[in-house]
PDB file of all heavy atoms in Angstrom:
ATOM      1  N   LEU A1189      -3.565  16.868   0.819  1.00  0.00           N
ATOM      2  CA  LEU A1189      -4.691  17.656   1.072  1.00  0.00           C
ATOM      3  C   LEU A1189      -4.482  18.551   2.283  1.00  0.00           C
ATOM      4  O   LEU A1189      -3.905  18.170   3.289  1.00  0.00           O
ATOM      5  CB  LEU A1189      -5.889  16.800   1.324  1.00  0.00           C
ATOM      6  CG  LEU A1189      -7.313  17.434   1.216  1.00  0.00           C
ATOM      7  CD1 LEU A1189      -7.550  17.944  -0.132  1.00  0.00           C
ATOM      8  CD2 LEU A1189      -8.408  16.319   1.593  1.00  0.00           C
ATOM      9  N   ARG A1190      -4.826  19.836   2.033  1.00  0.00           N
ATOM     10  CA  ARG A1190      -4.653  20.848   3.077  1.00  0.00           C
ATOM     11  C   ARG A1190      -5.968  21.074   3.750  1.00  0.00           C
ATOM     12  O   ARG A1190      -6.972  21.518   3.153  1.00  0.00           O
ATOM     13  CB  ARG A1190      -4.092  22.167   2.412  1.00  0.00           C
ATOM     14  CG  ARG A1190      -2.763  21.874   1.780  1.00  0.00           C
ATOM     15  CD  ARG A1190      -2.244  23.122   1.057  1.00  0.00           C
ATOM     16  NE  ARG A1190      -3.362  23.641   0.036  1.00  0.00           N
ATOM     17  CZ  ARG A1190      -3.361  24.815  -0.373  1.00  0.00           C
ATOM     18  NH1 ARG A1190      -2.460  25.713  -0.226  1.00  0.00           N
ATOM     19  NH2 ARG A1190      -4.311  25.083  -1.392  1.00  0.00           N
ATOM     20  N   TRP A1191      -6.032  20.761   5.100  1.00  0.00           N
ATOM     21  CA  TRP A1191      -7.322  20.840   5.838  1.00  0.00           C
ATOM     22  C   TRP A1191      -7.371  21.993   6.717  1.00  0.00           C
ATOM     23  O   TRP A1191      -6.443  22.481   7.340  1.00  0.00           O
ATOM     24  CB  TRP A1191      -7.430  19.533   6.757  1.00  0.00           C
ATOM     25  CG  TRP A1191      -7.556  18.287   6.075  1.00  0.00           C
ATOM     26  CD1 TRP A1191      -6.550  17.390   5.630  1.00  0.00           C
ATOM     27  CD2 TRP A1191      -8.754  17.649   5.717  1.00  0.00           C
ATOM     28  NE1 TRP A1191      -7.144  16.309   5.075  1.00  0.00           N
ATOM     29  CE2 TRP A1191      -8.540  16.418   5.182  1.00  0.00           C
ATOM     30  CE3 TRP A1191     -10.138  17.988   5.928  1.00  0.00           C
ATOM     31  CZ2 TRP A1191      -9.440  15.505   4.711  1.00  0.00           C
ATOM     32  CZ3 TRP A1191     -11.080  17.029   5.510  1.00  0.00           C
ATOM     33  CH2 TRP A1191     -10.790  15.879   4.855  1.00  0.00           C
ATOM     34  N   GLY A1192      -8.619  22.496   6.859  1.00  0.00           N
ATOM     35  CA  GLY A1192      -8.979  23.362   7.913  1.00  0.00           C
ATOM     36  C   GLY A1192      -9.885  22.627   8.853  1.00  0.00           C
ATOM     37  O   GLY A1192     -10.675  21.852   8.375  1.00  0.00           O
ATOM     38  N   ALA A1193      -9.762  22.876  10.172  1.00  0.00           N
ATOM     39  CA  ALA A1193     -10.660  22.152  11.109  1.00  0.00           C
ATOM     40  C   ALA A1193     -10.969  23.015  12.274  1.00  0.00           C
ATOM     41  O   ALA A1193     -10.247  23.859  12.633  1.00  0.00           O
ATOM     42  CB  ALA A1193      -9.965  20.864  11.451  1.00  0.00           C
ATOM     43  N   GLY A1194     -12.055  22.684  12.909  1.00  0.00           N
ATOM     44  CA  GLY A1194     -12.368  23.342  14.192  1.00  0.00           C
ATOM     45  C   GLY A1194     -11.369  22.844  15.173  1.00  0.00           C
ATOM     46  O   GLY A1194     -10.883  21.664  15.117  1.00  0.00           O
ATOM     47  N   ALA A1195     -11.056  23.642  16.173  1.00  0.00           N
ATOM     48  CA  ALA A1195      -9.960  23.319  17.123  1.00  0.00           C
ATOM     49  C   ALA A1195     -10.454  22.192  18.091  1.00  0.00           C
ATOM     50  O   ALA A1195      -9.656  21.566  18.753  1.00  0.00           O
ATOM     51  CB  ALA A1195      -9.630  24.483  17.922  1.00  0.00           C
ATOM     52  N   ILE A1196     -11.757  21.861  18.084  1.00  0.00           N
ATOM     53  CA  ILE A1196     -12.151  20.791  19.006  1.00  0.00           C
ATOM     54  C   ILE A1196     -11.975  19.409  18.297  1.00  0.00           C
ATOM     55  O   ILE A1196     -12.222  18.429  18.901  1.00  0.00           O
ATOM     56  CB  ILE A1196     -13.609  20.971  19.414  1.00  0.00           C
ATOM     57  CG1 ILE A1196     -14.550  20.952  18.172  1.00  0.00           C
ATOM     58  CG2 ILE A1196     -13.878  22.184  20.263  1.00  0.00           C
ATOM     59  CD1 ILE A1196     -16.032  20.573  18.592  1.00  0.00           C
ATOM     60  N   SER A1197     -11.649  19.459  17.034  1.00  0.00           N
ATOM     61  CA  SER A1197     -11.503  18.165  16.280  1.00  0.00           C
ATOM     62  C   SER A1197     -10.105  17.512  16.514  1.00  0.00           C
ATOM     63  O   SER A1197      -9.486  17.178  15.523  1.00  0.00           O
ATOM     64  CB  SER A1197     -11.756  18.467  14.891  1.00  0.00           C
ATOM     65  OG  SER A1197     -12.935  19.186  14.604  1.00  0.00           O
ATOM     66  N   ALA A1198      -9.854  17.369  17.802  1.00  0.00           N
ATOM     67  CA  ALA A1198      -8.475  16.915  18.109  1.00  0.00           C
ATOM     68  C   ALA A1198      -8.131  15.601  17.542  1.00  0.00           C
ATOM     69  O   ALA A1198      -7.022  15.384  17.014  1.00  0.00           O
ATOM     70  CB  ALA A1198      -8.272  16.970  19.653  1.00  0.00           C
ATOM     71  N   ALA A1199      -9.065  14.668  17.672  1.00  0.00           N
ATOM     72  CA  ALA A1199      -8.748  13.255  17.267  1.00  0.00           C
ATOM     73  C   ALA A1199      -8.471  13.211  15.757  1.00  0.00           C
ATOM     74  O   ALA A1199      -7.533  12.562  15.258  1.00  0.00           O
ATOM     75  CB  ALA A1199      -9.909  12.354  17.591  1.00  0.00           C
ATOM     76  N   PHE A1200      -9.231  14.034  15.051  1.00  0.00           N
ATOM     77  CA  PHE A1200      -9.086  14.019  13.576  1.00  0.00           C
ATOM     78  C   PHE A1200      -7.749  14.586  13.180  1.00  0.00           C
ATOM     79  O   PHE A1200      -7.006  13.997  12.391  1.00  0.00           O
ATOM     80  CB  PHE A1200     -10.198  14.827  12.885  1.00  0.00           C
ATOM     81  CG  PHE A1200     -10.077  14.871  11.352  1.00  0.00           C
ATOM     82  CD1 PHE A1200     -10.568  13.760  10.666  1.00  0.00           C
ATOM     83  CD2 PHE A1200      -9.581  15.971  10.733  1.00  0.00           C
ATOM     84  CE1 PHE A1200     -10.480  13.694   9.274  1.00  0.00           C
ATOM     85  CE2 PHE A1200      -9.526  15.965   9.330  1.00  0.00           C
ATOM     86  CZ  PHE A1200      -9.932  14.799   8.624  1.00  0.00           C
ATOM     87  N   VAL A1201      -7.377  15.818  13.698  1.00  0.00           N
ATOM     88  CA  VAL A1201      -6.088  16.408  13.274  1.00  0.00           C
ATOM     89  C   VAL A1201      -4.888  15.561  13.709  1.00  0.00           C
ATOM     90  O   VAL A1201      -3.926  15.472  13.073  1.00  0.00           O
ATOM     91  CB  VAL A1201      -5.976  17.846  13.754  1.00  0.00           C
ATOM     92  CG1 VAL A1201      -7.144  18.726  13.301  1.00  0.00           C
ATOM     93  CG2 VAL A1201      -5.828  17.944  15.247  1.00  0.00           C
ATOM     94  N   LYS A1202      -5.001  14.918  14.851  1.00  0.00           N
ATOM     95  CA  LYS A1202      -3.967  14.059  15.345  1.00  0.00           C
ATOM     96  C   LYS A1202      -3.783  12.879  14.455  1.00  0.00           C
ATOM     97  O   LYS A1202      -2.706  12.457  14.098  1.00  0.00           O
ATOM     98  CB  LYS A1202      -4.382  13.606  16.736  1.00  0.00           C
ATOM     99  CG  LYS A1202      -3.217  13.268  17.724  1.00  0.00           C
ATOM    100  CD  LYS A1202      -3.736  13.251  19.085  1.00  0.00           C
ATOM    101  CE  LYS A1202      -2.556  12.750  20.059  1.00  0.00           C
ATOM    102  NZ  LYS A1202      -3.050  12.866  21.462  1.00  0.00           N
ATOM    103  N   ASP A1203      -4.947  12.280  14.123  1.00  0.00           N
ATOM    104  CA  ASP A1203      -4.922  10.988  13.294  1.00  0.00           C
ATOM    105  C   ASP A1203      -4.389  11.277  11.882  1.00  0.00           C
ATOM    106  O   ASP A1203      -3.560  10.500  11.439  1.00  0.00           O
ATOM    107  CB  ASP A1203      -6.298  10.439  13.208  1.00  0.00           C
ATOM    108  CG  ASP A1203      -6.505   9.236  14.037  1.00  0.00           C
ATOM    109  OD1 ASP A1203      -5.819   9.102  15.095  1.00  0.00           O
ATOM    110  OD2 ASP A1203      -7.422   8.377  13.705  1.00  0.00           O
ATOM    111  N   VAL A1204      -4.832  12.323  11.275  1.00  0.00           N
ATOM    112  CA  VAL A1204      -4.457  12.455   9.891  1.00  0.00           C
ATOM    113  C   VAL A1204      -2.940  12.950   9.723  1.00  0.00           C
ATOM    114  O   VAL A1204      -2.427  12.839   8.637  1.00  0.00           O
ATOM    115  CB  VAL A1204      -5.302  13.420   9.053  1.00  0.00           C
ATOM    116  CG1 VAL A1204      -6.844  12.858   9.090  1.00  0.00           C
ATOM    117  CG2 VAL A1204      -5.291  14.846   9.575  1.00  0.00           C
TER     118      VAL A1204
END
Side-chain angles (χ1 to χ4, degrees):
Chain A
L1189 197 61
R1190 301 172 305 165
W1191 291 90
I1196 61 158
S1197 310
F1200 182 78
V1201 304
K1202 206 164 174 173
D1203 254 27
V1204 299

